[in-house]
């Protein structure tokens, strides 16, 4: 499938302009049941993609989709970055595998399923999936594009009646009912975005020991850094240690690119144990590990353990030369 420069450039511009026009509205929706950054996150992403427009337009279409997805992951942050990034990257990968006559709705279905796996979410959980699946169904029936758009609009509005089961809004429980999901609402319009800013924050160490490394990931740079300080006080330089906190601008949030750099900074041939706080931190960490690629990704584990106690006990275990499996198991014993 060869590049269609005008098509790619046009898609990018439509998405950028639509998100820019709706950014404040998306932030307002996210303020009601989240942290108010969804519009800003997506806008930053679209501007980043737009800045890469010229080079993207010269790529074969599947490569352009995959690159746009990666740019989204590296720049949007939050929950939305890895989820929209996965959608676009999977569309690119699936298109590359198929021939010219492939049915796009099948490609889209594979990509939406990948988003669902990434977020461990299902239809009805009040997320962007509650628009993606209906849009797919309409496309599969070959509905006219105007009907697909109306279906997206209706589906986004229907999320108001749902209780959030995933993402930050899930912490609100029943109080999330009555508000439209910002991620779903964004899909009423269009898609895409991003550029390589990359901040993320990672710091500390590198003892270059054979001990397991530790990475702390929090939405707050202060929390991540504070816990890393506590760990450092316990184990000194005997354990490779790094942290990532905040989104690409250093505000509250998480950033797959920053986490990737933190893992690389704490790299040890014995492996790396990652400790995360809220949901987006886990999703972005999984994305970062995937981006690390095999064989290194197989040596990184996310621990299901309390952040502070887990990191401290894991570091103590690691400083004694324990294996990655033992470090993780010891930390996870602390889970309720
Ligand atoms: P954050 O919640 O980290 O601030 P954003 O505000 O950018 O991230 O995105 C929030 C949107 O992401 C939600 O409205 C929801 O549609 C979607 N979302 C959050 N968590 C998940 C998940 N686990 N699976 C699918 N979609 C999710
Ligand atoms: Mg948000």
């Amino acid at each position: 499938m060869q590049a269609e420069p005008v098509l790619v450039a046009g898609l990018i511009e439509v998405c950028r302009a639509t998100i820019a026009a709706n950014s404040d509205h998306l932030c307002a929706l996210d303020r009601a049941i989240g942290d108010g950054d969804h519009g800003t996150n997506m806008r930053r992403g679209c501007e980043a993609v737009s800045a890469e427009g010229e080079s993207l337009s010269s790529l074969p279409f599947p490569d352009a989709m995959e690159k746009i997805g990666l740019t989204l992951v590296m720049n949007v942050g939050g929950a939305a970055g890895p989820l929209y990034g996965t959608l676009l990257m999977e569309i690119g990968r699936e298109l590359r595998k198929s021939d010219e006559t492939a049915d796009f709705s099948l490609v889209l279905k594979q990509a939406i399923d990948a988003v669902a796996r990434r977020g461990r979410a299902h239809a009805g959980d009040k997320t962007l999936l509650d628009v993606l699946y209906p849009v797919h169904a309409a496309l599969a029936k070959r509905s006219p594009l105007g009907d697909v758009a109306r279906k997206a609009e209706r589906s986004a509005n229907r999320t108001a009646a749902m209780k959030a089961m995933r993402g930050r809004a899930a912490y609100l429980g029943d109080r999330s009912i009555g508000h439209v999901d910002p991620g779903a609402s964004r899909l009423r319009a269009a898609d895409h975005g991003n550029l390589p800013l990359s901040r993320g924050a990672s710091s500390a160490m590198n003892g270059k020991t054979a001990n397991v490394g530790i990475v702390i990931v929090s939405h707050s740079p202060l929390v991540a850094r504070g816990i890393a300080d506590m760990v450092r006080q316990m184990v000194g330089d005997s354990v490779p240690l790094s942290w990532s906190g905040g989104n690409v601008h250093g505000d509250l949030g998480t950033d797959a690119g920053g986490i990737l750099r933190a893992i690389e900074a704490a790299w040890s041939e014995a492996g790396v144990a990652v400790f995360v706080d809220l949901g987006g931190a886990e999703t972005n960490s999984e994305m970062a590990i995937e981006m690390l690629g095999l064989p290194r990704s197989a040596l990184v584990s996310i621990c299901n353990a309390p952040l502070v106690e887990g990191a401290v006990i894991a570091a103590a275990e690691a400083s004694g030369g324990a294996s990655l499996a033992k470090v993780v198991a010891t930390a996870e014993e602390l889970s309720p």
Side-chain angles (χ1 to χ4, degrees):
M1 188 167 308
Q2 207 37 54
E4 185 45 84
V6 180
L7 173 66
V8 172
L11 277 175
I12 291 173
E13 177 50 24
V14 166
C15 296
R16 191 205 58 74
T18 311
I19 292 297
N22 290 285
S23 167
D24 290 349
H25 176 59
L26 294 174
C27 283
L29 291 175
D30 195 28
R31 257 194 303 281
I33 55 170
D35 56 353
D37 64 353
H38 187 62
T40 324
N41 289 348
M42 293 313 308
R43 185 178 185 152
R44 188 174 58 234
C46 288
E47 281 164 7
V49 171
S50 183
E52 290 183 348
E54 213 167 298
S55 65
L56 287 167
S57 302
S58 64
L59 294 175
F61 193 74
D63 294 6
M65 293 296 111
E66 198 170 354
K67 184 80 200 314
I68 289 171
L70 189 63
T71 307
L72 286 173
V73 172
M74 297 302 274
N75 291 280
V76 175
L83 296 170
Y84 283 110
T86 297
L87 183 72
L88 273 292
M89 286 160 82
E90 286 299 319
I91 288 175
R93 286 173 191 152
E94 290 296 327
L95 282 175
R96 198 176 296 121
K97 280 193 265 166
S98 38
D99 63 27
E100 301 274 331
T101 59
D103 179 348
F104 181 72
S105 78
L106 293 177
V107 168
L108 183 63
K109 176 68 167 47
Q110 301 285 342
I112 299 172
D113 286 344
V115 174
R117 284 194 299 278
R118 165 88 49 214
R120 296 194 190 86
H122 305 280
D125 282 352
K126 195 183 182 97
T127 71
L128 44 94
L129 292 174
D130 293 310
V131 170
L132 286 174
Y133 279 124
V135 162
H136 164 259
L139 288 174
K141 277 198 312 197
R142 308 214 179 281
S143 304
L145 283 183
D147 290 357
V148 177
R150 276 185 289 280
K151 182 144 191 192
E153 174 97 39
R154 278 198 305 278
S155 304
N157 289 337
R158 278 199 195 115
T159 61
M162 298 173 185
K163 176 174 165 180
M165 305 303 287
R166 287 282 172 245
R168 249 177 242 254
Y171 293 97
L172 293 178
D174 286 342
R175 280 179 294 141
S176 65
I177 298 172
H179 301 278
V180 167
D181 175 65
S185 180
R186 183 245 179 175
L187 280 162
R188 282 197 278 221
D191 221 275
H192 298 63
N194 288 322
L195 152 135
L197 278 167
S198 260
R199 215 219 63 119
S202 97
S203 88
M205 109 99 274
N206 238 326
K208 295 271 182 266
T209 70
N211 292 336
V212 169
I214 304 286
V215 169
I216 318 285
V217 180
S218 168
H219 281 64
S220 157
L222 293 175
V223 168
R225 188 181 171 161
I227 296 173
D229 285 346
M230 290 165 70
V231 171
R232 169 71 55 233
Q233 197 186 35
M234 297 278 296
V235 296
D237 278 343
S238 61
V239 172
L241 171 68
S242 186
W243 57 272
S244 173
N247 63 18
V248 291
H249 283 341
D251 298 325
L252 294 179
T254 47
D255 160 28
I259 299 168
L260 177 63
R261 289 190 292 282
I263 293 172
E264 283 173 335
W267 186 253
S268 158
E269 293 307 320
V272 174
V274 181
F275 293 82
V276 300
D277 59 5
L278 307 175
E282 187 174 11
T283 312
N284 273 294
S285 297
E286 285 172 357
M287 195 81 209
I289 293 168
E290 220 173 276
M291 289 193 294
L292 199 61
L294 286 167
R296 289 197 300 169
S297 58
L299 288 172
V300 185
S301 295
I302 300 175
C303 291
N304 176 19
L307 190 52
V308 180
E309 298 94 322
V312 168
I313 199 147
E317 193 74 25
S319 70
S323 68
L324 178 63
K326 180 78 171 81
V327 166
V328 171
T330 306
E332 291 191 342
E333 272 171 29
L334 295 168
S335 284

